[in-house]
């Protein structure tokens, strides 16, 4: 154990004690949850010891917990709330749907509007099929790829996340997982059995690890040259460009997986892509790939998603990117002043802190840098009213003000000083 680890273990105990004293209502909520939800939660990545803050409500960039504490929201429901909490245009759109009827077993203008917006914004998306989550969209994309190619294997990246259902889990027998940013490993693994390569434009849940310049182009070309599809998962990344990261990087995936912001905060997912591939799911196609779902294209999600995208233009995206860059720099400076090793990986307005001085380039690097400092930092920020994720990821929204970004930077500085106090 280094002296820093030892210092930190002591600090963690102090932080936990303070946290418990400050959040009795959250502890009560957790005890109640334990009686009906396994582990007291229903969403694995969102929980942390000793128990998570129980949020009562959110508005704009602010959250209020059950004890009445206010937090600056730097999570935005894991990147899905691009315009923050209870965004008035989204609330108005959903209210209108509540009055007109929530969902019908028929096509509807609201679904079409969202589909047309996606086709208009993302050039590789010629047709769209809606699901209820990014997970479901990934499953559908895998089925389309397997049907289109007659092959069964799927290649993905270690630390890649395409949802929590098979086959797109690194341990699934149909999957080969190789390190991100390692084109030689892709070369070797991409045999004639592989139906598709699934990639995120940056490892999102895996630590916000950016793709090395040219890496995704090489993956796309290799996939094509070996008769496999190139599937880009833009569930998190779409927020970084009008046409997603693929627009910024001039990629032309065969299929794109979408979710999060396209539902404006309501449950949604979608597969978009080449018309010939999407047509495999059309019930008018002979021997089609059966795909249905009671809530596919739910009108509340479609309406919320459409208004969310209408309100996200290139100027908003540039501002988010600048704010993300500013915050990343300030966090690194603060950690350096406190004598802590730190790198901040970033994809536009999504950031991840890592307690290592060299930026991770794949998931193994991220795992190696994870230690007790991350949970301690998380608690030290919560105690200052700054809501972040246990894994060190934060994401900004269009309603996070410059003053709030500055306040967040100060909170990180205070937290680092506290972690390093001797
Ligand atoms: C890149 C990526 N793909 C897919 C998913 C799964 O989406 P959902 O949580 O809507 O099932 C996520 C969720 O975090 C994600 O980040």
């Amino acid at each position: 154990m280094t002296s820093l680890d030892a210092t930190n273990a002591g600090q963690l105990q102090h932080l936990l004690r303070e946290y418990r004293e400050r959040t009795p209502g959250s502890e009560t909520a957790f005890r109640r949850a334990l009686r009906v939800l396994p582990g007291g939660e229903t969403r694995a990545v969102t929980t942390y010891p000793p128990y998570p803050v129980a949020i009562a409500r959110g508005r704009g960039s602010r959250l209020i917990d059950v004890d009445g504490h206010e937090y600056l929201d730097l999570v935005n429901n894991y990147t899905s709330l691009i315009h923050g909490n209870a965004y008035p245009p989204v609330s108005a759109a959903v209210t209108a749907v509540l009055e007109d009827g929530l969902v019908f077993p028929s096509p509807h203008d609201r679904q079409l509007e969202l589909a047309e917006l996606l086709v208009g914004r993302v050039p590789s998306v010629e047709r769209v099929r809606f699901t209820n989550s990014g997970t479901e969209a990934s499953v559908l994309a895998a089925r389309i790829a397997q049907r289109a190619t007659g092959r069964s294997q799927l290649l993905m990246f270690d630390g890649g996340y395409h949802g929590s259902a098979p086959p797109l889990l690194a341990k699934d027998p149909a999957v080969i997982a190789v390190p991100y940013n390692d084109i030689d490993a892709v070369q070797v693994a991409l045999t004639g059995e592989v139906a598709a390569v699934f990639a995120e434009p940056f490892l999102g849940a895996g630590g916000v690890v950016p793709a090395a310049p040219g890496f995704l182009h090489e993956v796309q070309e290799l996939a094509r040259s070996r008769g496999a599809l190139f599937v880009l998962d833009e569930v998190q990344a779409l927020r970084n460009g009008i046409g997603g990261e693929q627009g910024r990087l001039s990629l032309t995936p065969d299929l794109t997986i979408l979710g999060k912001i396209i539902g404006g905060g309501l449950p949604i997912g979608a597969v978009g892509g080449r018309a010939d591939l999407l047509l495999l799911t059309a019930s008018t196609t002979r021997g089609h790939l059966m795909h249905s779902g009671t809530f596919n294209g739910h009108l509340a999600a479609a309406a919320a998603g459409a208004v969310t995208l209408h309100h996200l233009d290139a100027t908003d995206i540039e501002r988010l990117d600048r704010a993300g860059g500013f915050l990343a720099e300030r966090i690194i400076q603060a950690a350096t002043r406190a004598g802590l090793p730190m790198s901040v990986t970033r994809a536009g307005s999504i950031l991840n802190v890592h307690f290592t001085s060299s930026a991770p380039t794949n998931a193994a690097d991220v795992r190696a840098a994870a230690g007790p400092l991350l949970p301690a930092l998380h608690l030290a920020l919560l105690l200052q009213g700054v809501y972040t994720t246990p894994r060190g990821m934060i994401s900004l929204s269009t309603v996070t003000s410059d003053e709030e970004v500055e306040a967040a930077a100060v909170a990180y500085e205070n937290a680092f000083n506290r972690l390093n106090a001797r």
Side-chain angles (χ1 to χ4, degrees):
M1 198 184 239
T2 66
S3 66
L4 190 59
D5 287 342
T7 309
N8 190 249
Q11 279 301 334
L12 188 55
Q13 293 315 312
H14 284 298
L15 289 163
L16 283 167
R17 197 171 323 123
E18 248 181 73
Y19 178 78
R20 283 182 184 282
E21 280 164 15
R22 187 180 138 99
T23 55
S26 290
E27 179 157 21
T28 304
F30 185 62
R31 288 188 192 287
R32 179 175 165 203
L34 282 174
R35 290 197 285 273
V36 285
L37 303 174
E41 48 89 8
T42 195
R43 194 173 165 195
V45 301
T46 59
T47 194
Y48 44 88
Y51 49 81
V53 169
I55 306 293
R57 51 189 191 281
R59 185 160 296 265
S61 59
R62 300 280 154 171
L63 301 172
I64 309 286
D65 75 8
V66 292
D67 290 298
H69 302 301
E70 188 174 301
Y71 299 83
L72 170 61
D73 184 5
L74 293 183
V75 179
N76 289 296
N77 195 29
Y78 282 76
T79 79
S80 61
L81 298 173
I82 186 91
H83 300 308
N85 300 275
Y87 184 55
V90 165
S91 304
V94 173
T95 304
V97 175
L98 287 170
E99 282 164 7
D100 291 348
L102 281 168
V103 61
F104 311 113
S106 83
H108 191 282
D109 278 355
R110 289 187 165 112
Q111 278 172 359
L112 300 183
E113 189 186 348
L114 180 58
E116 284 163 0
L117 262 171
L118 294 171
V119 169
R121 285 167 87 114
V122 189
S124 75
V125 171
E126 297 172 340
R127 296 284 188 284
V128 180
R129 189 115 194 150
F130 287 117
T131 64
N132 299 293
S133 67
T135 299
E136 281 181 37
S138 299
V139 173
L140 179 61
R143 292 175 64 211
I144 294 174
Q146 287 166 330
R147 174 67 68 91
T149 60
R151 303 173 178 185
S152 58
Q153 284 189 347
L154 305 166
L155 200 154
M156 65 178 275
F157 292 95
D158 174 30
Y161 184 64
H162 306 287
S164 57
L168 284 158
L169 298 170
K171 293 207 170 78
D172 191 274
V175 162
I176 312 162
V178 299
Y180 201 63
N181 282 327
D182 184 344
I183 199 65
D184 295 339
V186 178
Q187 284 258 19
V188 172
L190 227 175
T191 66
E193 304 291 301
V194 173
V197 182
F198 281 72
E200 292 166 86
F202 50 92
L203 286 185
V208 193
V209 176
F215 175 67
L216 293 167
H217 277 278
E218 287 180 283
V219 172
Q220 175 176 283
E221 291 323 307
L222 263 179
R224 298 240 159 96
S225 70
R226 309 251 169 114
L229 301 188
F230 177 55
V231 183
L232 196 65
D233 184 337
E234 296 242 29
V235 166
Q236 288 196 19
L238 190 75
R239 61 158 51 213
N240 287 348
I242 291 293
E245 288 274 356
Q246 60 188 270
R248 268 181 7 91
L249 299 171
S250 305
L251 293 164
T252 53
D254 301 293
L255 294 174
T256 297
I257 303 169
L258 297 165
K260 297 212 196 261
I261 69 164
I262 70 158
L266 279 81
I268 200 164
V271 179
R274 274 170 39 197
D276 62 314
L277 294 172
L278 267 294
L279 273 170
L280 294 173
T281 64
S283 42
T284 46
T285 300
R286 256 183 91 177
H288 71 279
L289 199 62
M290 160 66 178
H291 173 248
S292 198
T294 306
F295 297 118
N296 287 356
H298 195 288
L299 301 183
V307 77
T308 293
L309 293 180
H310 277 308
H311 289 215
L312 184 69
D313 63 20
T315 312
D316 298 317
I317 295 171
E318 268 168 42
R319 198 190 138 253
L320 280 165
D321 184 48
R322 267 200 313 277
F326 171 82
L327 187 53
E329 261 179 47
R330 289 287 304 270
I331 292 174
I332 290 177
Q333 287 164 2
T336 308
R337 275 198 294 275
L340 291 166
M342 167 68 37
S343 63
V344 180
T345 48
R346 181 171 81 89
S349 49
I350 309 178
L351 288 69
N352 212 120
V353 300
H354 308 273
F355 282 99
T356 168
S357 42
S358 51
T361 61
N362 59 34
D365 293 347
V366 172
R367 288 190 290 266
L373 284 165
L374 264 185
L377 172 65
H378 180 230
L379 288 176
L381 290 166
L382 286 177
L383 289 170
Q384 296 178 74
V386 174
Y387 190 81
T388 71
T389 62
R391 66 175 183 242
M393 185 277 286
I394 58 179
S395 82
L396 305 177
S397 82
T398 57
V399 300
T400 323
S401 69
D402 291 347
E403 293 71 31
E404 286 171 329
V405 173
E406 175 62 35
V410 171
Y412 273 89
E413 174 126 42
N414 293 338
F416 292 142
N417 289 335
R418 180 148 192 201
L419 297 196
N420 213 7
R422 271 155 220 282

